[in-house]
Amino acid sequence: MDLRRFDLNLLLVFDVMMAERNVTRAGERLALSQPAVSHALNKLRSLLGDDLFERSEGIMKPTPRALEIAGPVREALMQLQVTLDDTAFDPFDAKNTFNIAFHNYASTVLATPLARRLRDRAPQVRLHISSNDGHDLFKRLGDGAYDILIGPTGEVPPGFESVTLLMDSHCGLARHDHPLFDREITRESLSELPVIAIGSLKEQETGIFPVLIEAGIDINTMMTVPHLFAAINVLRDTDMVTYVLQRVQKSHTETYANLDGLRAFALPMDQEPVPCRMVWHKHMTNQSAHRWMRDQIAECFREVM
């Protein structure tokens, strides 16, 4: 292939398609019409001699050839972006868009101070906050769907950088007059209680639940909700309990609307502190706009956490 005649814009379209798997959404991210995205894909298909994407179950599913080249293309584009980046980044005049995946409790606490910072320091910068739902997070971070991932993540894979924003641990939460508080809280007494789980099934598989089970506490999950807001009234009106990070209960009662109607309890077991990390692709470490946004997030954490 003669790179002198190759339109590199086709690789940008391919990269966004790998992230979105949808022609319309890819066009929105690229500021292109749907026919323009389709035309670019057809040109790239002809050049590479492969269909690249095939419609399946409502999405554009990548072919084996597309999967083979996706990683190298993404890395090359990210490296090119960093190389050509203007290091004299001026946040007040910047028009960047950042896509950040937050753990649900962190997004609730940080959305307001972060919005205030952007209003005062970078009024034209756009921020899209997504839920950190535990599904293919590092893959989506690697393919550019997310710029930054924030939450109580586990081990960070090779190819990514991270900084620990804070350490936390879990506690239980129940209504203030729950019968649980009439006796000593033990592994056995907790095993008898119905649980309302917060977050995706993936989060439950990798969060506090495996630690509780290993300590001999049975988890009788009767309901699953996406965030703590949805659990508060259920906790007040039933004998269900849940498990949250201690900073939610100690520091953010006002944010979570009358959390004081509930009562926290210590877990009858030792537990390792949980790190809340900010994670990004290694190629974005020195990109000035990205670095600026990471600094704003870290400062917000120091202020409100």
Short mmCIF file of all heavy atoms in Angstrom, two decimals, residues 56 80 120 122 222 234 274 278:
data_model
loop_
_atom_site.label_atom_id
_atom_site.label_comp_id
_atom_site.label_asym_id
_atom_site.label_seq_id
_atom_site.Cartn_x
_atom_site.Cartn_y
_atom_site.Cartn_z
N SER A 56 -25.05 -7.15 12.40
CA SER A 56 -25.47 -8.34 13.14
C SER A 56 -26.13 -7.92 14.44
O SER A 56 -25.55 -7.19 15.24
CB SER A 56 -24.25 -9.23 13.45
OG SER A 56 -24.62 -10.33 14.27
N LEU A 80 0.02 9.91 17.25
CA LEU A 80 0.04 11.04 16.33
C LEU A 80 -0.59 12.27 16.97
O LEU A 80 -0.09 13.39 16.85
CB LEU A 80 -0.69 10.68 15.04
CG LEU A 80 -0.69 11.72 13.92
CD1 LEU A 80 0.73 12.04 13.48
CD2 LEU A 80 -1.53 11.24 12.76
N ASP A 120 -15.92 28.23 35.13
CA ASP A 120 -15.03 29.36 35.45
C ASP A 120 -13.73 29.34 34.65
O ASP A 120 -13.18 30.40 34.33
CB ASP A 120 -14.69 29.35 36.95
CG ASP A 120 -15.92 29.58 37.81
OD1 ASP A 120 -16.92 30.12 37.30
OD2 ASP A 120 -15.89 29.21 39.00
N ALA A 122 -12.90 26.88 31.87
CA ALA A 122 -12.93 26.38 30.49
C ALA A 122 -14.38 26.34 30.02
O ALA A 122 -14.97 25.27 29.84
CB ALA A 122 -12.30 24.98 30.43
N MET A 222 -32.01 -9.78 47.13
CA MET A 222 -33.43 -9.78 46.78
C MET A 222 -33.77 -8.73 45.72
O MET A 222 -34.81 -8.79 45.09
CB MET A 222 -34.27 -9.50 48.04
CG MET A 222 -34.04 -10.52 49.15
SD MET A 222 -34.43 -12.21 48.64
CE MET A 222 -36.19 -12.08 48.36
N VAL A 234 -36.10 2.13 49.59
CA VAL A 234 -36.29 0.69 49.84
C VAL A 234 -35.69 0.32 51.18
O VAL A 234 -36.29 -0.42 51.97
CB VAL A 234 -35.66 -0.14 48.71
CG1 VAL A 234 -35.81 -1.64 49.01
CG2 VAL A 234 -36.30 0.19 47.36
N VAL A 274 -9.97 -0.09 49.78
CA VAL A 274 -10.33 -0.09 48.36
C VAL A 274 -9.78 1.17 47.71
O VAL A 274 -10.12 2.28 48.12
CB VAL A 274 -11.86 -0.14 48.19
CG1 VAL A 274 -12.24 -0.10 46.71
CG2 VAL A 274 -12.44 -1.36 48.88
N MET A 278 -7.90 6.95 39.14
CA MET A 278 -8.14 7.59 37.85
C MET A 278 -7.20 6.91 36.86
O MET A 278 -5.99 6.85 37.08
CB MET A 278 -7.86 9.09 37.94
CG MET A 278 -7.98 9.82 36.60
SD MET A 278 -8.11 11.63 36.76
CE MET A 278 -6.65 12.03 37.74
#
